[in-house]
Coordinates of all heavy atoms in Angstrom, one line a residue:
M258 N -261.3 -262.8 81.7 CA -260.6 -262.0 80.7 C -260.1 -260.8 81.4 O -258.9 -260.5 81.2 CB -261.5 -261.7 79.6 CG -260.9 -260.8 78.6 SD -261.4 -261.2 77.0 CE -260.7 -259.8 76.1
L259 N -260.9 -260.1 82.1 CA -260.5 -258.9 82.8 C -259.4 -259.2 83.9 O -258.4 -258.5 84.0 CB -261.6 -258.2 83.5 CG -261.3 -256.9 84.2 CD1 -260.8 -255.8 83.2 CD2 -262.5 -256.3 84.9
K260 N -259.6 -260.4 84.5 CA -258.6 -260.7 85.6 C -257.2 -261.0 84.9 O -256.2 -260.7 85.6 CB -259.2 -262.0 86.3 CG -258.3 -262.4 87.5 CD -259.0 -263.5 88.3 CE -258.2 -263.8 89.5 NZ -258.8 -264.8 90.3
T261 N -257.2 -261.6 83.8 CA -255.9 -261.8 83.2 C -255.2 -260.5 82.7 O -254.0 -260.4 82.8 CB -256.1 -262.8 82.0 OG1 -257.0 -262.2 81.0 CG2 -256.6 -264.1 82.3
K262 N -256.0 -259.6 82.2 CA -255.5 -258.2 81.9 C -255.0 -257.5 83.2 O -253.9 -256.9 83.1 CB -256.5 -257.4 81.2 CG -256.8 -257.8 79.8 CD -257.8 -256.9 79.2 CE -258.1 -257.3 77.7 NZ -258.9 -256.4 77.0
I263 N -255.6 -257.6 84.3 CA -255.2 -257.1 85.5 C -253.9 -257.7 86.0 O -252.9 -257.0 86.3 CB -256.3 -257.0 86.6 CG1 -257.4 -256.2 86.2 CG2 -255.7 -256.6 87.9 CD1 -258.6 -256.2 87.1
N264 N -253.9 -259.0 85.9 CA -252.6 -259.7 86.3 C -251.5 -259.4 85.4 O -250.3 -259.2 85.9 CB -252.9 -261.2 86.3 CG -253.7 -261.7 87.5 OD1 -253.8 -260.9 88.5 ND2 -254.4 -262.8 87.4
K265 N -251.7 -259.2 84.1 CA -250.7 -258.8 83.2 C -250.1 -257.5 83.5 O -249.0 -257.2 83.4 CB -251.2 -258.9 81.7 CG -250.2 -258.7 80.7 CD -250.8 -258.9 79.3 CE -249.8 -258.7 78.2 NZ -250.3 -258.8 76.9
F266 N -251.1 -256.5 83.8 CA -250.7 -255.2 84.2 C -249.8 -255.1 85.4 O -248.8 -254.4 85.5 CB -251.9 -254.2 84.4 CG -251.5 -252.9 84.9 CD1 -250.9 -252.0 84.0 CD2 -251.7 -252.5 86.1 CE1 -250.6 -250.7 84.4 CE2 -251.4 -251.2 86.6 CZ -250.8 -250.3 85.7
Y267 N -250.1 -256.0 86.4 CA -249.3 -255.9 87.6 C -247.9 -256.5 87.4 O -247.0 -256.1 88.1 CB -250.0 -256.8 88.7 CG -251.2 -256.2 89.4 CD1 -252.3 -256.9 89.7 CD2 -251.1 -254.8 89.8 CE1 -253.4 -256.3 90.3 CE2 -252.2 -254.2 90.4 CZ -253.3 -254.9 90.7 OH -254.3 -254.3 91.3
K268 N -247.7 -257.3 86.4 CA -246.4 -257.8 86.1 C -245.6 -256.9 85.1 O -244.5 -257.2 84.8 CB -246.6 -259.2 85.5 CG -247.1 -260.2 86.6 CD -247.3 -261.5 85.9 CE -247.9 -262.5 86.9 NZ -248.2 -263.8 86.3
S269 N -246.2 -255.9 84.7 CA -245.5 -255.0 83.6 C -244.7 -253.9 84.2 O -244.8 -253.6 85.4 CB -246.6 -254.4 82.7 OG -247.4 -253.5 83.4
N270 N -243.8 -253.4 83.4 CA -243.0 -252.3 83.8 C -243.8 -251.0 84.1 O -243.4 -250.2 84.9 CB -241.9 -252.0 82.8 CG -240.9 -253.1 82.6 OD1 -240.7 -253.9 83.6 ND2 -240.3 -253.2 81.5
E271 N -245.0 -250.9 83.4 CA -245.8 -249.7 83.6 C -246.3 -249.6 85.0 O -246.5 -248.5 85.6 CB -246.9 -249.7 82.6 CG -246.5 -249.3 81.1 CD -246.0 -250.6 80.4 OE1 -246.0 -251.7 81.0 OE2 -245.5 -250.4 79.3
C272 N -246.7 -250.8 85.6 CA -247.1 -250.8 87.0 C -246.1 -250.3 87.9 O -246.4 -249.6 88.9 CB -247.6 -252.3 87.3 SG -248.3 -252.4 89.0
V273 N -244.8 -250.7 87.7 CA -243.7 -250.3 88.5 C -243.6 -248.8 88.5 O -243.4 -248.1 89.5 CB -242.4 -251.0 88.2 CG1 -241.2 -250.5 89.0 CG2 -242.6 -252.5 88.4
V274 N -243.6 -248.2 87.2 CA -243.5 -246.8 87.1 C -244.7 -246.1 87.8 O -244.5 -245.0 88.4 CB -243.5 -246.4 85.5 CG1 -243.6 -244.9 85.3 CG2 -242.2 -247.0 85.0
F275 N -245.9 -246.6 87.6 CA -247.0 -246.0 88.3 C -246.9 -246.0 89.8 O -247.2 -245.0 90.4 CB -248.3 -246.8 87.9 CG -249.6 -246.2 88.4 CD1 -250.1 -245.0 88.0 CD2 -250.2 -246.9 89.5 CE1 -251.3 -244.5 88.6 CE2 -251.4 -246.4 90.1 CZ -251.9 -245.2 89.6
V276 N -246.5 -247.1 90.4 CA -246.3 -247.2 91.8 C -245.3 -246.2 92.3 O -245.4 -245.5 93.3 CB -246.0 -248.7 92.2 CG1 -245.5 -248.7 93.7 CG2 -247.1 -249.5 92.0
I277 N -244.2 -246.1 91.5 CA -243.1 -245.1 91.9 C -243.7 -243.7 91.8 O -243.4 -242.8 92.7 CB -241.9 -245.3 91.0 CG1 -241.2 -246.6 91.4 CG2 -240.9 -244.1 91.2 CD1 -240.1 -247.0 90.4
L278 N -244.4 -243.4 90.8 CA -245.0 -242.1 90.6 C -245.9 -241.7 91.8 O -245.9 -240.6 92.3 CB -245.8 -242.0 89.3 CG -246.5 -240.7 89.0 CD1 -245.4 -239.6 88.8 CD2 -247.3 -240.8 87.8
V279 N -246.8 -242.7 92.2 CA -247.7 -242.5 93.3 C -246.9 -242.2 94.6 O -247.2 -241.4 95.4 CB -248.6 -243.6 93.5 CG1 -249.4 -243.5 94.7 CG2 -249.6 -243.6 92.3
M280 N -245.8 -243.0 94.8 CA -245.0 -242.8 96.0 C -244.3 -241.5 96.0 O -244.3 -240.8 97.1 CB -243.9 -243.9 96.0 CG -244.5 -245.3 96.4 SD -243.4 -246.7 96.3 CE -241.8 -246.1 96.9
V281 N -243.8 -241.0 94.8 CA -243.2 -239.6 94.8 C -244.3 -238.6 95.1 O -244.0 -237.6 95.8 CB -242.6 -239.4 93.4 CG1 -242.2 -237.9 93.2 CG2 -241.3 -240.3 93.3
M282 N -245.5 -238.7 94.6 CA -246.5 -237.7 94.8 C -246.9 -237.7 96.3 O -247.1 -236.6 96.9 CB -247.8 -238.0 93.9 CG -247.5 -237.7 92.5 SD -248.9 -238.1 91.5 CE -250.1 -236.8 92.0
I283 N -247.0 -238.9 96.9 CA -247.3 -238.9 98.3 C -246.2 -238.3 99.2 O -246.4 -237.5 100.1 CB -247.5 -240.4 98.8 CG1 -248.9 -240.9 98.2 CG2 -247.6 -240.5 100.3 CD1 -249.1 -242.4 98.4
T284 N -244.9 -238.5 98.8 CA -243.8 -237.9 99.5 C -243.8 -236.4 99.4 O -243.7 -235.7 100.4 CB -242.5 -238.5 99.0 OG1 -242.5 -239.9 99.0 CG2 -241.3 -237.9 99.7
F285 N -244.0 -235.9 98.2 CA -244.1 -234.5 98.0 C -245.3 -233.9 98.8 O -245.2 -232.7 99.3 CB -244.2 -234.1 96.5 CG -242.9 -234.3 95.8 CD1 -242.8 -234.4 94.4 CD2 -241.7 -234.3 96.5 CE1 -241.7 -234.5 93.7 CE2 -240.5 -234.5 95.8 CZ -240.5 -234.5 94.4
S286 N -246.4 -234.5 98.8 CA -247.6 -234.0 99.5 C -247.4 -234.0 101.0 O -247.9 -233.1 101.8 CB -248.9 -234.7 99.1 OG -248.8 -236.0 99.6
V287 N -246.5 -234.9 101.5 CA -246.2 -235.0 103.0 C -245.3 -233.8 103.3 O -245.4 -233.1 104.3 CB -245.7 -236.3 103.4 CG1 -245.0 -236.2 104.8 CG2 -246.7 -237.4 103.3
I288 N -244.3 -233.6 102.4 CA -243.3 -232.5 102.6 C -244.0 -231.2 102.5 O -243.7 -230.2 103.3 CB -242.1 -232.7 101.6 CG1 -241.3 -233.9 101.9 CG2 -241.2 -231.5 101.6 CD1 -240.3 -234.2 100.8
N289 N -244.8 -231.0 101.4 CA -245.4 -229.7 101.2 C -246.9 -230.0 100.9 O -247.3 -230.5 99.9 CB -244.8 -229.0 100.0 CG -245.4 -227.7 99.7 OD1 -246.3 -227.2 100.5 ND2 -244.9 -227.1 98.7
P290 N -247.8 -229.7 101.9 CA -249.2 -230.0 101.8 C -249.9 -229.2 100.6 O -250.9 -229.6 100.1 CB -249.8 -229.5 103.1 CG -248.7 -229.5 104.1 CD -247.5 -229.2 103.3
A291 N -249.3 -228.2 100.1 CA -249.9 -227.5 99.0 C -249.6 -228.2 97.6 O -250.0 -227.7 96.6 CB -249.3 -226.1 98.9
F292 N -248.9 -229.3 97.6 CA -248.6 -230.0 96.4 C -249.8 -230.5 95.6 O -249.9 -230.4 94.5 CB -247.6 -231.1 96.6 CG -247.1 -231.8 95.4 CD1 -246.3 -231.2 94.4 CD2 -247.6 -233.1 95.2 CE1 -246.0 -231.9 93.3 CE2 -247.3 -233.8 94.0 CZ -246.4 -233.2 93.1
L293 N -250.7 -231.2 96.4 CA -251.8 -231.8 95.7 C -253.0 -230.9 95.6 O -254.2 -231.4 95.5 CB -252.2 -233.1 96.4 CG -251.2 -234.3 96.2 CD1 -251.6 -235.5 96.9 CD2 -251.1 -234.6 94.6
T294 N -252.9 -229.6 95.5 CA -254.0 -228.8 95.3 C -254.3 -228.7 93.8 O -253.5 -229.0 93.0 CB -253.7 -227.3 95.8 OG1 -252.6 -226.8 95.0 CG2 -253.4 -227.3 97.3
A295 N -255.6 -228.3 93.6 CA -256.1 -228.2 92.2 C -255.3 -227.2 91.4 O -254.9 -227.4 90.2 CB -257.5 -227.9 92.2
R296 N -255.0 -226.0 92.0 CA -254.2 -225.0 91.3 C -252.8 -225.5 90.9 O -252.3 -225.2 89.9 CB -254.1 -223.8 92.3 CG -253.2 -222.7 91.8 CD -253.9 -222.0 90.7 NE -253.0 -220.9 90.2 CZ -253.2 -220.3 89.0 NH1 -254.2 -220.6 88.3 NH2 -252.4 -219.3 88.7
N297 N -252.1 -226.2 91.8 CA -250.8 -226.7 91.5 C -250.9 -227.8 90.4 O -250.0 -227.8 89.5 CB -250.2 -227.3 92.8 CG -248.7 -227.6 92.6 OD1 -248.0 -226.8 92.0 ND2 -248.3 -228.7 93.1
M298 N -251.8 -228.7 90.4 CA -252.0 -229.7 89.4 C -252.2 -229.0 88.0 O -251.7 -229.4 87.0 CB -253.1 -230.6 89.7 CG -252.9 -231.5 90.9 SD -251.5 -232.6 90.5 CE -250.4 -232.2 91.9
F299 N -253.0 -227.9 88.0 CA -253.3 -227.2 86.8 C -251.9 -226.6 86.3 O -251.7 -226.6 85.1 CB -254.4 -226.1 87.0 CG -254.6 -225.3 85.8 CD1 -255.3 -225.8 84.7 CD2 -254.1 -224.0 85.7 CE1 -255.6 -224.9 83.6 CE2 -254.3 -223.1 84.6 CZ -255.0 -223.7 83.6
D300 N -251.2 -226.0 87.2 CA -249.9 -225.4 86.8 C -249.0 -226.4 86.3 O -248.2 -226.2 85.3 CB -249.3 -224.6 88.0 CG -250.1 -223.3 88.3 OD1 -250.8 -222.8 87.4 OD2 -249.9 -222.8 89.4
L301 N -248.9 -227.5 86.9 CA -248.0 -228.6 86.4 C -248.4 -229.1 85.0 O -247.6 -229.2 84.1 CB -248.1 -229.8 87.3 CG -247.2 -229.6 88.7 CD1 -247.6 -230.8 89.7 CD2 -245.9 -229.5 88.5
F302 N -249.7 -229.2 84.8 CA -250.2 -229.7 83.4 C -249.9 -228.6 82.4 O -249.5 -228.9 81.3 CB -251.6 -230.0 83.5 CG -251.9 -231.4 84.1 CD1 -253.0 -231.4 85.1 CD2 -251.2 -232.5 83.9 CE1 -253.2 -232.6 85.7 CE2 -251.5 -233.7 84.6 CZ -252.5 -233.7 85.5
R303 N -250.1 -227.4 82.8 CA -249.9 -226.3 81.8 C -248.4 -226.1 81.5 O -248.0 -225.9 80.4 CB -250.4 -224.9 82.5 CG -250.4 -223.8 81.4 CD -250.8 -222.6 82.0 NE -249.8 -222.2 82.9 CZ -249.9 -221.2 83.8 NH1 -251.0 -220.5 83.9 NH2 -248.8 -220.8 84.5
T304 N -247.5 -226.4 82.5 CA -246.1 -226.2 82.3 C -245.6 -227.4 81.4 O -244.7 -227.2 80.5 CB -245.3 -226.4 83.6 OG1 -245.8 -225.3 84.5 CG2 -243.9 -226.2 83.4
M305 N -246.2 -228.5 81.5 CA -245.7 -229.7 80.7 C -246.4 -229.9 79.4 O -246.1 -230.9 78.7 CB -245.9 -231.0 81.5 CG -245.1 -231.0 82.8 SD -243.3 -230.9 82.5 CE -243.0 -232.3 81.6
I306 N -247.2 -229.0 78.9 CA -247.9 -229.2 77.7 C -247.0 -229.2 76.5 O -247.2 -230.0 75.6 CB -249.0 -228.1 77.5 CG1 -250.0 -228.5 76.3 CG2 -248.5 -226.7 77.2 CD1 -250.9 -229.6 76.7
V307 N -246.0 -228.4 76.4 CA -245.0 -228.4 75.3 C -244.3 -229.7 75.3 O -244.1 -230.3 74.2 CB -244.0 -227.2 75.4 CG1 -242.9 -227.3 74.4 CG2 -244.8 -225.9 75.3
T308 N -243.8 -230.2 76.4 CA -243.1 -231.5 76.5 C -244.1 -232.7 76.1 O -243.7 -233.6 75.4 CB -242.6 -231.7 77.9 OG1 -241.9 -230.6 78.3 CG2 -241.8 -233.0 78.0
G309 N -245.3 -232.5 76.4 CA -246.3 -233.5 76.1 C -246.5 -233.6 74.5 O -246.6 -234.7 73.9
I310 N -246.7 -232.4 73.9 CA -246.9 -232.4 72.5 C -245.6 -232.9 71.8 O -245.6 -233.7 70.8 CB -247.2 -230.9 72.1 CG1 -248.6 -230.5 72.6 CG2 -247.1 -230.8 70.6 CD1 -248.9 -229.1 72.4
F311 N -244.4 -232.5 72.3 CA -243.1 -233.0 71.8 C -243.1 -234.5 71.9 O -242.7 -235.2 70.9 CB -242.0 -232.3 72.5 CG -240.6 -232.8 72.1 CD1 -240.2 -232.4 70.8 CD2 -239.8 -233.6 72.9 CE1 -238.9 -232.9 70.3 CE2 -238.6 -234.0 72.5 CZ -238.1 -233.6 71.2
A312 N -243.5 -235.1 73.0 CA -243.5 -236.6 73.2 C -244.4 -237.3 72.2 O -244.1 -238.3 71.7 CB -243.9 -236.9 74.6
C313 N -245.6 -236.7 72.0 CA -246.6 -237.2 70.9 C -245.9 -237.2 69.5 O -246.1 -238.2 68.8 CB -247.9 -236.5 71.0 SG -248.8 -236.7 72.4
G314 N -245.3 -236.1 69.2 CA -244.6 -236.1 67.9 C -243.4 -237.1 67.8 O -243.3 -237.8 66.8
V315 N -242.7 -237.3 68.8 CA -241.6 -238.3 68.8 C -242.1 -239.7 68.7 O -241.6 -240.5 68.0 CB -240.7 -238.1 70.1 CG1 -239.7 -239.3 70.2 CG2 -239.9 -236.8 70.0
M316 N -243.3 -239.9 69.4 CA -243.9 -241.2 69.3 C -244.4 -241.6 67.9 O -244.2 -242.7 67.5 CB -245.1 -241.2 70.3 CG -245.9 -242.6 70.3 SD -247.4 -242.6 71.2 CE -248.4 -241.5 70.2
M317 N -244.9 -240.6 67.2 CA -245.3 -240.8 65.8 C -244.1 -241.2 65.0 O -244.1 -242.1 64.1 CB -246.0 -239.6 65.2 CG -247.4 -239.4 65.8 SD -248.4 -240.9 65.5 CE -249.7 -240.5 66.5
V318 N -243.0 -240.4 65.2 CA -241.8 -240.7 64.4 C -241.2 -242.1 64.7 O -240.8 -242.9 63.8 CB -240.7 -239.6 64.6 CG1 -239.4 -240.0 64.0 CG2 -241.2 -238.3 64.1
I319 N -241.3 -242.5 66.0 CA -240.7 -243.8 66.3 C -241.6 -244.9 65.8 O -241.1 -245.9 65.3 CB -240.6 -243.9 67.9 CG1 -239.5 -243.0 68.4 CG2 -240.4 -245.3 68.3 CD1 -239.5 -242.9 69.9
I320 N -242.9 -244.7 65.8 CA -243.8 -245.7 65.3 C -243.6 -245.9 63.8 O -243.6 -247.0 63.2 CB -245.3 -245.4 65.6 CG1 -245.6 -245.5 67.0 CG2 -246.3 -246.2 64.7 CD1 -246.9 -245.0 67.4
N321 N -243.4 -244.8 63.0 CA -243.1 -244.9 61.6 C -241.7 -245.4 61.2 O -241.4 -245.6 60.1 CB -243.3 -243.5 61.0 CG -244.8 -243.1 61.0 OD1 -245.7 -244.0 60.9 ND2 -245.1 -241.8 61.1
G322 N -240.8 -245.4 62.3 CA -239.5 -245.9 62.0 C -238.6 -244.9 61.3 O -237.6 -245.3 60.8
G323 N -238.8 -243.6 61.5 CA -238.0 -242.6 60.8 C -237.1 -241.9 61.8 O -236.9 -240.7 61.6
V324 N -236.6 -242.6 62.8 CA -235.7 -241.9 63.7 C -234.3 -241.7 63.1 O -233.7 -242.6 62.6 CB -235.6 -242.7 65.0 CG1 -234.7 -242.0 66.0 CG2 -237.0 -242.9 65.6
D325 N -233.9 -240.4 63.1 CA -232.6 -240.1 62.7 C -232.1 -238.8 63.5 O -232.9 -238.2 64.2 CB -232.4 -240.0 61.2 CG -233.2 -238.8 60.7 OD1 -234.0 -238.2 61.4 OD2 -233.1 -238.5 59.5
M326 N -230.9 -238.5 63.4 CA -230.4 -237.3 64.2 C -230.9 -236.0 63.8 O -231.1 -235.1 64.6 CB -228.8 -237.3 64.1 CG -228.2 -238.5 64.7 SD -228.8 -238.9 66.3 CE -228.0 -237.6 67.3
S327 N -231.3 -235.8 62.5 CA -231.8 -234.6 62.1 C -233.2 -234.3 62.7 O -233.6 -233.2 62.9 CB -231.9 -234.5 60.5 OG -232.8 -235.5 60.1
F328 N -234.0 -235.3 62.9 CA -235.3 -235.1 63.5 C -235.2 -234.5 64.9 O -235.9 -233.7 65.3 CB -236.0 -236.5 63.6 CG -237.3 -236.4 64.5 CD1 -238.4 -235.7 64.0 CD2 -237.3 -236.8 65.8 CE1 -239.5 -235.5 64.8 CE2 -238.4 -236.7 66.5 CZ -239.5 -236.1 66.1
M329 N -234.2 -235.0 65.7 CA -234.0 -234.5 67.0 C -233.6 -233.1 67.0 O -234.1 -232.3 67.9 CB -233.0 -235.4 67.8 CG -233.5 -236.7 68.1 SD -234.9 -236.7 69.2 CE -235.5 -238.4 69.0
A330 N -232.7 -232.7 66.1 CA -232.4 -231.3 66.0 C -233.5 -230.4 65.7 O -233.7 -229.3 66.3 CB -231.2 -231.1 65.0
I331 N -234.4 -230.8 64.8 CA -235.5 -230.0 64.4 C -236.5 -229.9 65.5 O -237.1 -228.9 65.8 CB -236.1 -230.6 63.0 CG1 -235.1 -230.4 61.9 CG2 -237.5 -230.0 62.8 CD1 -235.5 -231.1 60.7
A332 N -236.7 -231.1 66.2 CA -237.7 -231.1 67.3 C -237.3 -230.2 68.4 O -238.1 -229.5 69.0 CB -237.9 -232.5 67.7
I333 N -236.0 -230.2 68.8 CA -235.6 -229.4 69.9 C -235.7 -228.0 69.5 O -236.1 -227.0 70.3 CB -234.1 -229.8 70.2 CG1 -234.1 -231.2 70.9 CG2 -233.5 -228.8 71.2 CD1 -232.8 -231.7 71.1
C334 N -235.3 -227.6 68.2 CA -235.4 -226.2 67.8 C -236.8 -225.8 67.8 O -237.2 -224.7 68.1 CB -234.8 -226.1 66.4 SG -234.9 -224.4 65.7
S335 N -237.8 -226.6 67.4 CA -239.2 -226.3 67.4 C -239.7 -226.1 68.8 O -240.5 -225.2 69.1 CB -240.0 -227.4 66.7 OG -239.6 -227.6 65.4
A336 N -239.3 -226.9 69.8 CA -239.7 -226.8 71.2 C -239.2 -225.5 71.7 O -239.9 -224.8 72.4 CB -239.2 -228.0 72.0
Y337 N -238.0 -225.2 71.4 CA -237.4 -223.8 71.8 C -238.1 -222.7 71.3 O -238.5 -221.7 72.0 CB -235.9 -223.8 71.4 CG -235.3 -222.5 71.8 CD1 -235.0 -222.2 73.1 CD2 -235.0 -221.5 70.8 CE1 -234.4 -220.9 73.4 CE2 -234.4 -220.3 71.0 CZ -234.1 -220.0 72.4 OH -233.6 -218.8 72.7
M338 N -238.4 -222.7 70.0 CA -239.1 -221.6 69.4 C -240.6 -221.5 69.9 O -241.1 -220.4 70.1 CB -239.2 -221.8 67.8 CG -237.9 -221.6 67.2 SD -237.0 -220.1 67.6 CE -238.1 -218.9 66.7
T339 N -241.2 -222.6 70.2 CA -242.6 -222.6 70.8 C -242.5 -221.9 72.1 O -243.4 -221.1 72.5 CB -243.1 -224.0 70.9 OG1 -243.1 -224.6 69.6 CG2 -244.5 -224.0 71.5
I340 N -241.6 -222.3 73.0 CA -241.5 -221.6 74.3 C -241.1 -220.2 74.2 O -241.7 -219.3 74.9 CB -240.4 -222.4 75.2 CG1 -240.9 -223.8 75.4 CG2 -240.1 -221.7 76.4 CD1 -239.8 -224.7 76.0
R341 N -240.2 -219.8 73.3 CA -239.9 -218.4 73.2 C -241.1 -217.6 72.6 O -241.4 -216.5 73.1 CB -238.8 -218.2 72.1 CG -237.4 -218.7 72.6 CD -236.9 -217.9 73.8 NE -236.6 -216.6 73.2 CZ -236.1 -215.6 74.0 NH1 -235.9 -215.8 75.3 NH2 -235.8 -214.5 73.5
L342 N -241.9 -218.1 71.7 CA -243.0 -217.4 71.2 C -244.2 -217.4 72.2 O -244.9 -216.4 72.3 CB -243.5 -218.0 69.9 CG -242.6 -217.8 68.7 CD1 -243.1 -218.7 67.5 CD2 -242.4 -216.4 68.3
A343 N -244.3 -218.4 73.0 CA -245.4 -218.4 74.1 C -245.1 -217.5 75.2 O -245.9 -217.0 75.9 CB -245.6 -219.8 74.6
G344 N -243.8 -217.2 75.4 CA -243.4 -216.4 76.5 C -243.5 -214.9 76.3 O -243.6 -214.1 77.2
T345 N -243.7 -214.5 75.1 CA -243.9 -213.0 74.7 C -245.3 -212.6 74.7 O -246.2 -213.3 74.7 CB -243.2 -212.7 73.4 OG1 -243.8 -213.5 72.4 CG2 -241.7 -212.9 73.5

């Protein structure tokens, strides 16, 4: 059962994206050795938190089937206001 799940993962698009992501990280760490430090990883995660929350909200809307143009306008405005308020 586990073997079939692993084989299914290797054939999926997610595996390709994961391999590309690992290759990009290795390339960046070869170019700049400070890339894979704990401090840099923390900074990357902290920088992407607003985008991650936005992605979770969009995922819920897509699952519920309520995608329309007004949602995107409200979501972008909300993301902009969050960044502006967090910056002060």
Side-chain angles (χ1 to χ4, degrees):
M258 175 143 172
L259 180 63
K260 189 173 183 177
T261 58
K262 287 185 179 183
I263 292 173
N264 286 336
K265 187 176 179 182
F266 174 73
Y267 283 139
K268 295 177 183 177
S269 69
N270 292 335
E271 289 83 3
C272 182
V273 174
V274 172
F275 179 74
V276 169
I277 291 171
L278 179 65
V279 169
M280 288 172 38
V281 167
M282 289 179 68
I283 290 171
T284 303
F285 285 160
S286 65
V287 168
I288 293 170
N289 184 1
F292 178 73
L293 285 179
T294 61
R296 175 72 180 163
N297 191 40
M298 290 297 123
F299 178 75
D300 287 342
L301 286 172
F302 288 132
R303 192 183 68 189
T304 303
M305 294 304 295
I306 193 73
V307 173
T308 307
I310 292 171
F311 179 67
C313 290
V315 170
M316 179 186 68
M317 289 298 168
V318 171
I319 290 172
I320 289 172
N321 290 329
V324 178
D325 61 353
M326 295 309 286
S327 64
F328 168 75
M329 291 299 167
I331 292 169
I333 291 170
C334 182
S335 300
Y337 173 75
M338 293 304 293
T339 303
I340 292 170
R341 290 293 294 179
L342 292 173
T345 57

